Structures are given as C-alpha cells and as structure tokens.
Amino acid sequence: MVSADHEGLGAAALAGNEFIIPTYKGIGAQVPEEIASQRCTYLCGNSLGPLAKRSQFLIQQELCVWATRAVVGHFNHPHGREWMNIADTVTPLLADLVGAKDKEVACMGTLTANLHLMMSAFYKPTPNRYKILCEGKAFPSDQYAFASQAVFHDYDPKDAIVELFPREGEFTLRNSDILDVIAKQGSSIALVIFSGVQYYTGQWFPMKEITEAAKKQGCVCGWDLAHAIGNVPLSLHDWDVDFAVWCSYKYLNSGPGGIGGLFVHEKWEANKAPQFAGWWGHDPATRFQMPPDFSPTPGAQGFQQSNPSVLTTVSLLGSLQVFKEVGMMRPLRERSVLLTAHLEVLLRQTGFYVTPDEAAKHSVNDPPRFTIITPEERESRGAQLSLLFLPPKSDIMERILGYLESSGVIGDERRPDVIRLTPAPLYNTTRDCERAAEVLRRAFEAIGRST
C-alpha cells in the first residue's frame, strides 16, 4: 500500500534514536523469535510517551547527586542544576511550546490539581453569570473538577455545566455550533473551557476563534492542553488565553505521572493573586528567609505551592532537550501532518474502512468494519487518529485490540468502541504506519474467518 502523502515524508523519525521503544518481547507480543528483540510498533504516545535516553541519563545523574551530596544538591550541584531552581531548566522550553512568556508558565503539580487552582482563581460565578461551557464527553477528571467547582459555589452541576455534543449522526463538534452557543448564551457563561485536542475523537478545536468569541462575551477562557502540548502549535499569549493547564507524560514524554504545568496570561499579574498559596510560590528572593506573610512570585509561578520533584522535572527536561534540538514545533508539526495523513490513507486502503456517514447507518447485522472519527482536515486534528469499530457496542473493538497487541502494535482503547493510533513525529516512522495498517487488515480477516 502506498500513500499519496508519503512523498517527501522520509522513512526515518526526526529523533528516533533518542528514544527507547519497547521491544516485541518486552510487551509480550507473539512474534517469531528472530524479530522478538526488535522495537515494537508503538503508536500510543497520546497516552504515554516512550523514555527519552537523555531522561534516563539525567535521572541517573540526579540519583548520583542525591547519593553523594544529599541536601547540598539544593544549592550546590555538580552539573549546574541546583534543585532549588530546577524548574528553571524547563520553563523556557515549555513557554516556547505553548507560545508564552517565561513568566506566564509554571512547571508544577499535576493536571487536575492545577485545574482546580486555576478554577479557584478564575471561576467567579455570579447569580447571572455562573455557567461553565465545555465539550461533551470531556476527559472524566475534567468533568469531575467542573462539577465539584460548581458544587463548591452552591450550584447544581446539571444547571451550571453546559456540555456541547456533536449533532445526531456526527462524531465531532462543528466549530460553528460552539461559536453560536457562546454568542447566544455568553451573558450567562462565567467560564469557557475546552480541551485543546479532544482525547476521545482527536479533534483539535479552533482555539484562537473560541477564545476570541468567549472574550467578546465577557467570559473567562481556559484550556486543558493534555493532548495539545507537544502535539500541535500553540500561541496562548497572542490568542489572549486567560489560563491553561497540561500534563507532560503524553507528547512530552516525561514518564508516567510526570509533572504538570500551567499558563496564566501576564495581564492577570496585578490582580490575580493565588487563592491557595504555598511557600514555593513565594518570591524566591526572600523565600528562604521564611517570612510570615506571603509575597507571590510575579506571574504564573506565584501559583506554585511545593517544590517540584527533581526526578520528574529532569525526566521532562531530557525530552524537551530533544524537542529543542529538532527545532521545536514547526518541523514537528510539518512531519506530523504528513505522517498522520500517511497512516490515514493506509487504513482506508485495508478494505474494511467505511466513511463516517456510512458508519452512522451501520447495523448490528452488517459485517465488522471501522471508521475514523477524527476530523479529516489537518487544521482540525493533531497526530492522533481515533478508529471507531462496528457494529457499535459489540466485542469487535476488543478482539481487534487483542490481535494488534499480540502482533506487537500498541495503541490504546477508549470504550466502548474506539482504538486510538498516534504516529508521533519525534520517534515514529512510515514503517510503523505501514505495519499498523497491515496488522489491522489481518485482524479483520481473522475475525471474518472465525464467524
């Protein structure tokens, strides 16, 4: 199978040698012994990025410093990474990725904890303006945070939270529908908060347009960038985004449970003091004098509460150094667009693909098939493709997933019927795309023979 988008793509990843991809043997794939030690087809960076070799090296360095210097490492470090300033090693790189000034970014905490901190500062409901507008089927942790914040302010989540769902027979939201709701209901909306890239469908929302529409109606606008940072280009400062939060273990490859981050636009610096202060948000010039009164660090870093984990920070640093060396998001995005399009064409050529319109009409008596619910337009998606398996709510998705995994192709499932496949431009190759499509075709053929 040959993709029209393959020309000019190149077979090699941008930085494939910089990452440790699990082997077929390591993931328990049932493959011939002669290839068991080869790297598997890992298309799951949307869920957990692989280990960067530099991260492994930096973590080992810090363990050595801990062993040889202990508490002294906070102020005197053999590699110039004093632990009291460890976040400074990644802040400029994160700011570059999200399109922000350094002081607008803080490397800290975890995504949902940071979301609560941001909502405590920015969600200020009034009797006439108290609603939270978000996409339907947002990631559950976001849903829980929105609901609990509404309850904290004595509002019923069923009334306070406005969820937008795709139209009947469609799988993703129309941009016009989002903008229409903001225009019509904006006077009652306190906070507009969407995922930059929707975790289930892979839809990249029009962030600039949504932010502009929200601000025009007097709404605060925030973003969950868990699936956007390191995946698509961002310009949070220029778009006038109020705040954003993210994790770093997906496209940023910082490791399971890696450190999170947040953005606060500089325009809020003078009048958005942290509501829940901690000592690491105190002005570093006097932090270790232990004064009784809190004096926040200007900008986003004033929202820090505790000192960041050194090991998780340098794990992130190792990956971000690779981002820096390949040129950050411009070359990554260019390759990502081609690589995902290549995979898309190959999947459509398997013989088992149906269009989204055909999928909406698929019945339980029709043969097993799949469609791609991620938008086809490159400006409306990142690296991820979400495959919806048919008939819906059958066992087809699980059977396909089992076949993929036993053959050494790693994606991930989102129940009831979706498998996400994500060719990441840093480390995935055209061969990864080709093998994934070929194994998917064989999986459908095996199901056909068994029925």
Side-chain angles (χ1 to χ4, degrees):
M1 294 182 284
V2 179
S3 166
D5 294 278
H6 187 215
E7 184 176 354
L9 180 56
L14 284 177
N17 291 331
E18 293 283 352
F19 291 87
I20 301 172
I21 307 298
T23 64
Y24 289 122
K25 182 178 181 180
I27 62 169
Q30 300 171 15
V31 299
E33 185 62 31
E34 58 267 23
I35 67 168
S37 61
Q38 297 179 11
R39 56 178 269 173
C40 73
T41 304
Y42 192 80
L43 296 175
C44 207
N46 59 289
S47 187
L48 179 67
L51 173 63
K53 295 177 182 178
R54 298 188 195 197
S55 298
Q56 186 179 48
F57 175 74
L58 292 175
I59 290 171
Q60 290 297 329
Q61 277 193 335
E62 296 303 339
L63 290 173
C64 183
V65 175
W66 181 15
T68 57
R69 299 205 177 186
V71 72
V72 176
H74 283 91
F75 311 100
N76 188 331
H77 195 286
H79 308 294
R81 296 190 299 269
E82 288 76 18
W83 295 338
M84 67 173 292
N85 300 316
I86 194 63
D88 293 346
T89 64
V90 297
T91 297
L93 299 170
L94 291 171
D96 192 325
L97 286 174
V98 301
K101 298 182 179 181
D102 288 4
K103 67 177 181 178
E104 294 176 315
V105 169
C107 176
M108 57 179 283
T110 54
L111 191 155
T112 305
N114 289 341
L115 177 57
H116 277 295
L117 283 174
M118 291 294 93
M119 291 190 72
S120 73
F122 286 95
Y123 178 53
K124 301 297 184 181
T126 66
N128 294 322
R129 187 189 287 270
Y130 61 91
K131 293 186 178 181
I132 300 170
L133 178 67
C134 62
E135 82 265 25
K137 206 172 184 179
F139 189 72
S141 197
D142 286 0
Q143 295 182 54
Y144 307 154
F146 301 157
S148 61
Q149 287 283 337
V151 170
F152 176 77
H153 289 281
D154 296 323
Y155 289 98
D156 182 350
K158 293 180 181 179
D159 176 42
I161 299 174
V162 180
E163 296 180 283
L164 297 186
F165 290 91
R167 297 187 184 188
E168 184 71 26
E170 299 181 4
F171 299 103
T172 55
L173 280 166
R174 295 189 186 187
N175 297 342
S176 60
D177 287 349
I178 300 172
L179 300 177
D180 284 347
V181 170
I182 294 174
K184 293 174 181 177
Q185 301 185 34
S187 62
S188 66
I189 297 172
L191 173 63
V192 174
I193 181 163
F194 280 73
S195 305
V197 174
Q198 219 282 333
Y199 87 102
Y200 187 81
T201 65
Q203 179 179 10
W204 180 16
F205 291 112
M207 297 178 61
K208 179 181 179 181
E209 290 79 3
I210 290 174
T211 302
E212 288 177 349
K215 307 314 279 297
K216 186 177 181 180
Q217 296 297 321
C219 312
V220 170
C221 188
W223 293 91
D224 175 348
L225 303 180
H227 287 266
I229 188 169
N231 180 19
V232 295
L234 301 166
S235 299
L236 301 186
H237 176 87
D238 290 345
W239 294 341
D240 199 29
V241 168
D242 291 306
F243 72 87
V245 294
W246 58 83
C247 57
S248 64
Y249 50 81
K250 301 179 188 297
Y251 295 95
L252 298 188
N253 317 298
S254 71
I259 196 163
L262 57 81
F263 162 90
V264 178
H265 199 284
E266 68 173 349
K267 68 184 179 183
W268 293 108
E269 186 176 311
N271 58 2
K272 278 292 179 189
Q275 188 168 341
F276 298 103
W279 83 303
W280 217 252
H282 187 93
D283 184 350
T286 58
R287 180 186 296 152
F288 282 87
Q289 296 175 17
M290 311 296 183
D293 296 321
F294 180 69
S295 177
T297 304
Q301 292 167 37
F303 286 88
Q304 296 177 103
Q305 293 179 321
S306 300
N307 52 320
S309 162
V310 170
L311 297 182
T312 57
T313 303
V314 298
S315 184
L316 172 60
L317 174 62
S319 176
L320 293 183
Q321 288 176 345
V322 180
F323 273 82
K324 183 70 172 179
E325 288 198 4
V326 302
M328 301 300 272
M329 283 310 301
R330 182 172 180 177
L332 280 169
R333 176 61 178 168
E334 290 174 353
R335 178 174 173 80
S336 179
V337 166
L338 296 175
L339 198 62
T340 297
H342 182 53
L343 175 60
E344 180 182 36
V345 170
L346 295 170
L347 292 171
R348 290 184 177 189
Q349 292 176 347
T350 58
F352 296 94
Y353 170 82
V354 297
T355 68
D357 287 343
E358 292 170 329
K361 303 171 185 176
H362 202 277
S363 74
V364 294
N365 297 318
D366 290 331
R369 292 292 185 267
F370 77 96
T371 193
I372 298 173
I373 61 174
T374 307
E376 184 177 351
E377 301 78 20
R378 62 180 60 186
E379 66 272 13
S380 297
R381 71 184 186 194
Q384 171 185 327
L385 292 178
S386 294
L387 283 57
L388 178 73
F389 291 85
L390 307 163
K393 299 182 180 179
S394 64
D395 65 349
I396 297 301
M397 183 274 285
E398 292 182 347
R399 293 169 68 183
I400 294 289
L401 183 69
Y403 192 100
L404 292 174
E405 291 177 345
S406 67
S407 301
V409 177
I410 301 300
D412 69 349
E413 65 178 298
R414 285 296 176 263
R415 295 180 184 276
D417 302 306
V418 164
I419 294 176
R420 304 182 298 181
L421 299 177
T422 303
L426 268 180
Y427 50 82
N428 281 125
T429 65
T430 55
R431 176 57 186 151
D432 289 330
C433 297
E434 291 153 10
R435 189 169 188 280
E438 174 61 23
V439 172
L440 181 68
R441 180 186 63 79
R442 297 204 309 259
F444 272 102
E445 290 174 347
I447 289 175
R449 289 193 299 268
S450 67
T451 56

